[in-house]
Structure formats: structure tokens, C-alpha cells
């Protein structure tokens, strides 16, 4: 700070949250030095960290020394779907939509995972799975490496909950019946402290509605908990070929659910809708995969998503949407059948 009185420069400190372990008093010392010198200093101070919960605590909790000191925040996000398509086109010009789905399903657009697959020239479903499940693959321990520092000593309970959500046990009731313990506090922290899961309610439902499902935000972590963590004993004995067969067996069903997320993200990226979500009624009846609303144009899209278009019955979708349509009076509603060929 003294040097920056006379000289413009940028200082970058990576993994800034590690001071919490090394010497937490660094934060209060920084606060005092910063507050005394900031008006006359010419420093551009960039503080980076990879543990989301700690970085949020350091800068956003009112009782922390550095609360309110940040002038800007950058949350590094995943690549958009259009960017993923560009990357695939650069490295595999003749890619198929199934290749795109597998690439999206495993990476979710996270730059690190995209880079690992590009370097391995793994750009088709078969080569991606072979790379992820190869001996000494960085992907095998990635979920553990990313999250154990976040969760601390209670990581076992968090991992069990995330594994259940990844395996389609998405309601609190289902999770608690399997774990035989209350999980409300864990779910709340996973959502609000760690930003790893999102609470999903039927579109148009009230904010306090008890009709709630949970989903994991990150595609790779969803895949990791669904297959690698769930079958960790298989991974530990090195029987990766057996796990590949499990993935091939379950891939059609699993990728179908990820395909829904793909189309929702694609619609979000288009920027023409005021609200996008899913719909179901009590008892999980009359489920509709995607509902997209444009309030300005008074239009709506109601879509069913399946891997193969011939498996979609739009008349059935229209029947399920009867109650939903009462919330869209005077709207022009279009029913769509979305499949891999529409990606």
C-alpha cells in the first residue's frame, strides 16, 4: 500500500481464503491498512478463491473485517451452450448432437473440464466416458477434491444427500426416509451457503409452496455423485470397465433428464422469456418438462423433452396442461416436442 502511493500496479492473491487456516488475523490487519491508505493508493487489488463458502463469508458476512470493502465481484461462470458448440466445432467439426449432449452432460461448460477433454481429444460419448473413467483420471477424485474443504468433517452427510439427489431422490421426504435423519439444515446450507443445489417449485406456485424438489446445479458434480461416488467401491478396486457398463446401461434415462436442463439453459440464453420453469401437480401428476413465458408478447411454450422424438405424445402433454393453461388466459400457447435432434 505504501508502494502504491507513488506507483500504479495490480496485485493478485490467489486462494485468498487460505489465510483463514494460516492466520485469520491477516483479514483484520488488511482492513486497517486498507482503510488508512485506500484514498491515496493506486493499487488494483484482486483476491481470488476457489472455496465459494469461505470467499462469501470473508466479504459478505457483516461481522467479518473485510465486509463491504470489495468494490466489484466476479463470479466465474461456466461457458454458455453457444460457446460449447463453438469449441466442439473447432476441435470436432463433424460432431453429432449426441456428442454435444455427452460433452455438456460431463462438463456443464466448466472451463477446467472442457480443457481436460479437449487435451485428451475426447469429444464423443465413448471417448469422453473412457477418458473420465481411465486409470489415474483426474475426474475420479474431482468431486471429493472440490468439496471436502467446503464441507469439513460433516462431508459424509452432505455427500450422501447429493448422491441421492443425483439419483433422482429429489424431495426432502425421500431423502429423509432413506437417510433416516432430518436433513433440512443440510439442504439449506447446500443451497444458501455452498450454492450447490437449487430449490425447484412448479412454475406459478407461491414462494412458500411445499411442493419442492432439489437439483444439483453443476453438471459434472451431478454426474460424479450419480456414478463415481455411488459406485465408489467399484472405483476403489479399479474395476472401471464394470462402471462403464453401468453408465452405458443407465445413460439413456440419465441423459434424458440432462437434456431437459440443456433446453432450459438454451432458452435462458435466447433472452426472450420472462419466466422459464417446470410444472407438476400434487402427487407428481401432470408433469410438464418445460414451460417458457413471454409476458410482453402474451405467448408461452409448453414442451416435452425426450431423447427420441417418436417417443413424445403431444396430445398427452396437452391433456396434462389443462390446469396450467388456466394461468395463461389470452396467451398464445405453442406445444413443442424437443429431442436430441433439436439441440
Amino acid at each position: 500500500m505504501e508502494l502504491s502511493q507513488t506507483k500504479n500496479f495490480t496485485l493478485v492473491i490467489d486462494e485468498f481464503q487460505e489465510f483463514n487456516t494460516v492466520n485469520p488475523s491477516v483479514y483484520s490487519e488488511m482492513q486497517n491498512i486498507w482503510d488508512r491508505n485506500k484514498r491515496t493508493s493506486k493499487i488494483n487489488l484482486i483476491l481470488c478463491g476457489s472455496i465459494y463458502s469461505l470467499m462469501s463469508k470473508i466479504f459478505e458476512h457483516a461481522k467479518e473485517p473485510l465486509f463491504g470493502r470489495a468494490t466489484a465481484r466476479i463470479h466465474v461462470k461456466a461457458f454458455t451452450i453457444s460457446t460449447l458448440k463453438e469449441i466442439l466445432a473447432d476441435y470436432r467439426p463433424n460432431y453429432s448432437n449426441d456428442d454435444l449432449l455427452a460433452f455438456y452432460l460431463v462438463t456443464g461448460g466448466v472451463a477446467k473440464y472442457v480443457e481436460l477433454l479437449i487435451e485428451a481429444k475426447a469429444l464423443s460419448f465413448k471417448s469422453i466416458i473412457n477418458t473420465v473413467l481411465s486409470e489415474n483420471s483426474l475426474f475420479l477424485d474431482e468431486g471429493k477434491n472440490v468439496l471436502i474443504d467446503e464441507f469439513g468433517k460433516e462431508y459424509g452427510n452432505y455427500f450422501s444427500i447429493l448422491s441421492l439427489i443425483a439419483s433422482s431422490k429429489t424431495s426432502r421426504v425421500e431423502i429423509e426416509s432413506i437417510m433416516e435423519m432430518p436433513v433440512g439444515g443440510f439442504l439449506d446450507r447446500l443451497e444458501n451457503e455452498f450454492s450447490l443445489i437449487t430449490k425447484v417449485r412448479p412454475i406459478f406456485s407461491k414462494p412458500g409452496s411445499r411442493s419442492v424438489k432439489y437439483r444439483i446445479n453443476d453438471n459434472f458434480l451431478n454426474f460424479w455423485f450419480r456414478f463415481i461416488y455411488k459406485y465408489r467401491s467399484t472405483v476403489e478396486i479399479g474395476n472401471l470397465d464394470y462402471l462403464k457398463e453401468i453408465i452405458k446401461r443407465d445413460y439413456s434415462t440419465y441423459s434424458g433428464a440432462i437434456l431437459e436442463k440443456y433446453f432450459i439453459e438454451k432458452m435462458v440464453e435466447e433472452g426472450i422469456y420472462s419466466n422459464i420453469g417446470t410444472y407438476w401437480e400434487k402427487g407428481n401428476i401432470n408433469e410438464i418438462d418445460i414451460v417458457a413465458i413471454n409476458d410482453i408478447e402474451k405467448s408461452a411454450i409448453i414442451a416435452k423433452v425426450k431423447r427420441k422424438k417418436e417417443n413424445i405424445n403431444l396430445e398427452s402433454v396437452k391433456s396434462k396442461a389443462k390446469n396450467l393453461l388456466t394461468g395463461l388466459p389470452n396467451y398464445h400457447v405453442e406445444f413443442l416436442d424437443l429431442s436430441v435432434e433439436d439441440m
Side-chain angles (χ1 to χ4, degrees):
M1 294 297 280
E2 289 174 0
L3 178 63
S4 70
Q5 305 287 329
T6 57
K7 183 178 180 181
N8 286 23
F9 65 91
T10 297
L11 172 64
V12 183
I13 303 177
D14 197 13
E15 298 299 359
F16 183 67
Q17 79 283 341
E18 290 299 321
F19 282 125
N20 197 58
T21 305
V22 178
N23 184 1
S25 67
V26 166
Y27 300 135
S28 53
E29 290 173 20
M30 281 187 72
Q31 176 203 22
N32 293 330
I33 295 168
W34 183 264
D35 288 350
R36 284 202 312 270
N37 296 281
K38 64 182 179 182
R39 286 181 179 81
T40 53
S41 293
K42 302 168 185 175
I43 189 172
N44 183 33
L45 180 60
I46 300 174
L47 307 171
C48 312
S50 60
I51 299 181
Y52 179 88
S53 56
L54 281 177
M55 291 296 283
S56 296
K57 179 176 180 240
I58 290 164
F59 293 104
E60 295 174 16
H61 285 209
K63 293 181 180 179
E64 294 298 314
L66 296 178
F67 173 74
R69 283 356 184 242
T71 51
R73 185 179 76 167
I74 299 174
H75 182 198
V76 181
K77 296 182 180 179
F79 292 133
T80 61
I81 283 169
S82 57
T83 302
L84 277 184
K85 287 180 175 180
E86 285 182 39
I87 292 169
L88 261 184
D90 285 342
Y91 291 93
R92 186 180 171 87
N94 61 338
Y95 76 86
S96 70
N97 283 355
D98 268 316
D99 296 334
L100 172 60
L101 179 56
F103 196 62
Y104 169 78
L105 178 149
V106 170
T107 70
V110 174
K112 176 183 177 181
Y113 307 142
V114 169
E115 183 181 37
L116 287 171
L117 293 183
I118 294 292
E119 287 178 348
K121 296 182 171 57
L123 301 172
S124 66
F125 166 67
K126 185 178 179 181
S127 61
I128 287 170
I129 299 305
N130 285 338
T131 299
V132 171
L133 298 183
S134 61
E135 192 175 357
N136 301 320
S137 164
L138 294 174
F139 290 101
L140 295 178
D141 291 323
E142 178 69 2
K144 193 164 53 178
N145 293 340
V146 167
L147 296 177
I148 279 184
D149 283 343
E150 287 271 20
F151 296 150
K153 62 185 179 183
E154 287 191 296
Y155 80 89
N157 286 328
Y158 286 112
F159 275 33
S160 295
I161 291 168
L162 289 168
S163 183
L164 288 170
I165 295 173
S167 299
S168 301
K169 308 298 182 189
T170 56
S171 73
R172 178 174 168 176
V173 172
E174 287 178 300
I175 296 167
E176 288 185 336
S177 67
I178 293 168
M179 293 190 63
E180 299 181 337
M181 60 180 281
V183 298
F186 291 103
L187 289 169
D188 183 64
R189 287 189 289 277
L190 282 168
E191 181 183 15
N192 299 311
E193 285 185 32
F194 304 121
S195 292
L196 287 171
I197 65 173
T198 296
K199 197 180 287 170
V200 181
R201 290 187 172 93
I203 197 166
F204 300 144
S205 67
K206 295 176 182 176
S209 167
R210 296 178 65 125
S211 187
V212 172
K213 296 178 182 179
Y214 293 91
R215 68 158 185 257
I216 297 173
N217 298 326
D218 184 277
N219 279 15
F220 174 74
L221 288 178
N222 199 74
F223 176 86
W224 190 85
F225 279 105
R226 172 65 181 82
F227 294 109
I228 296 173
Y229 181 75
K230 183 176 181 179
Y231 296 101
R232 57 194 177 279
S233 57
T234 305
V235 175
E236 286 165 5
I237 64 172
N239 197 356
L240 298 175
D241 287 337
Y242 180 82
L243 184 50
K244 289 175 190 176
E245 291 305 313
I246 290 173
I247 292 174
K248 288 174 187 173
R249 181 196 71 190
D250 296 346
Y251 185 74
S252 179
T253 301
Y254 180 77
S255 63
I258 299 298
L259 189 60
E260 290 178 27
K261 186 180 179 187
Y262 173 93
F263 281 116
I264 288 173
E265 281 193 25
K266 191 167 179 279
M267 288 178 173
V268 169
E269 194 179 336
E270 288 169 4
I272 59 175
Y273 302 103
S274 53
N275 195 0
I276 302 174
T278 58
Y279 177 82
W280 68 90
E281 294 169 13
K282 191 175 180 180
N284 286 332
I285 63 169
N286 294 332
E287 288 186 89
I288 294 173
D289 297 331
I290 301 175
V291 182
I293 312 293
N294 183 323
D295 283 325
I296 294 175
E297 296 182 1
K298 294 285 184 182
S299 64
I301 286 174
I302 294 176
K304 181 68 178 174
V305 180
K306 280 189 180 291
R307 283 183 55 84
K308 295 182 179 178
K309 200 174 284 285
E310 59 263 30
N311 293 335
I312 299 174
N313 181 347
L314 278 185
E315 290 306 312
S316 173
V317 177
K318 291 174 183 178
S319 176
K320 291 178 179 180
K322 284 179 181 176
N323 291 333
L324 173 62
L325 291 174
T326 61
L328 295 167
N330 305 317
Y331 275 64
H332 171 72
V333 179
E334 183 181 2
F335 288 87
L336 295 181
D337 49 351
L338 298 175
S339 67
V340 169
E341 66 186 70
D342 300 303
M343 292 178 68

